[in-house]
Amino acid sequence: MAILEILEAPHPILSQNARPVRPDELGPALQQRLSDMAETMYAAPGVGLAAPQVGDLRRMIVCDPGAGEEDEGRTLYLMVNPVIVERSKEMIEGDEQCLSVPEIVVRVKRHLRITMEWLPQGEPKRQDFEDWPAIVLQHELDHLQGSTLYDRASSLKRSRYLRSRKKAMATEYAR
Ligand code: ZN
């Protein structure tokens, strides 16, 4: 198990498309990568993490929409090659945050319900998600297409964000 470094926007890797995981890549090493991503997500703490955020340009996401709550219905999803196969016309809007775009909040419109397919170990899986879990997953899937909240933010928010990251980095280097 290992905590991985989370890249921050505007890192160039975060704006690239992730490629599908090949069948020959399935196995213990991939499983280890997914476990490390989950550990990194919980430690951050966050509710979802996409592989490009840790510098891995393959279609993989981990998510636990109920992380941080005492709820017993919590589930950790480790998804390889996830795709949305159905989307509701009904939309939902909410404030989102991202581990790769710290200290920024962006209001985003998402589909209220989605149906996803992905590969765990072995059999392909298909499941419906609604509301908060659907929002989290759509956010993570954006990462696989090289899109983050940084791209969705207004130019004012973006320049404020860049200024605050510059300051944060300057302090880090000064140490
Ligand atoms: Zn994110």
Side-chain angles (χ1 to χ4, degrees), residues 48 53 97-100 139-140 143 149:
Q53 291 181 275
Q97 288 176 281
C98 179
L99 296 174
S100 291
H139 175 114
E140 300 314 325
H143 280 295
L149 291 186

Side-chain angles (χ1 to χ4, degrees), residues 27-99:
L30 197 84
Q31 200 55 38
Q32 184 59 53
R33 171 42 61 112
L34 290 165
S35 306
D36 289 345
M37 281 172 59
E39 198 187 352
T40 305
M41 172 189 80
Y42 285 127
V47 292
L49 191 72
Q53 291 181 275
V54 293
D56 189 334
L57 278 168
R58 292 182 291 179
R59 294 186 62 86
M60 299 188 290
I61 60 182
V62 298
C63 106
D64 182 350
E69 284 167 36
E70 295 293 316
D71 181 19
E72 282 185 12
R74 285 179 43 180
T75 315
L76 171 63
Y77 294 94
L78 305 175
M79 298 178 165
V80 173
N81 293 345
V83 283
I84 299 178
V85 291
E86 274 172 47
R87 298 168 167 83
S88 67
K89 282 213 181 75
E90 219 176 319
M91 306 295 278
I92 184 171
E93 203 174 21
D95 289 333
E96 296 185 18
Q97 288 176 281
C98 179
L99 296 174

